[in-house]
Amino acid sequence: MVHDSPEHPTPAPRKAGRDATSDLPQDDLVLNTGDVDPATSVTEEDDEARLPDAAEDAAEAIAEGTLSIGHAAIENAVRLAPTSPGVYRMLNAANDVLYVGKAKNVKKRLSSYARTNAPQPARILRMIAATTQVCA
């Protein structure tokens, strides 16, 4: 019996999402683990031993002296920055551009980098530590 009537519509075909394993033949889903030599196979402990050690606290990895120099440079730029929209550049000691940012309120954006008590991601802390000058 065909269900093409409006009372019994045919269901729409399923779209393949991220997990489309049900579309594969069942033979492809079976893992072949019979030929693995335990002496040469890599265990989970071996994988973890090859990973580099992560820093316990990213904030401690950055020298406090360079971080305070960066904060001082940013705080100086905050005093001179406009409250209007614009762009700003963070420069290192060699006057290489570290970051170019844009903001609706440049002063407010730069002051967010100058906060010492707010938690910052490690990449932002590295950028602040390398900053010696900010051009707004």
Side-chain angles (χ1 to χ4, degrees), residues 6-94:
E7 296 170 0
H8 298 88
T10 305
R14 259 185 19 167
K15 292 183 180 179
R18 289 185 79 137
D19 186 13
T21 56
S22 62
D23 295 340
L24 297 175
Q26 290 298 319
D27 294 339
D28 291 346
L29 295 177
V30 177
L31 295 174
N32 185 4
T33 59
D35 294 336
V36 176
D37 182 15
T40 60
S41 68
V42 178
T43 62
E44 197 170 309
E45 293 85 22
D46 294 338
D47 284 341
E48 289 185 20
R50 285 188 259 157
L51 293 174
D53 292 333
E56 292 298 320
D57 188 10
E60 292 177 8
I62 299 170
E64 285 297 319
T66 57
L67 193 58
S68 63
I69 292 170
H71 279 295
I74 293 170
E75 287 171 1
N76 186 39
V78 168
R79 286 192 284 275
L80 304 172
T83 56
S84 61
V87 296
Y88 58 94
R89 294 180 298 148
M90 293 187 177
L91 309 172
N92 65 5

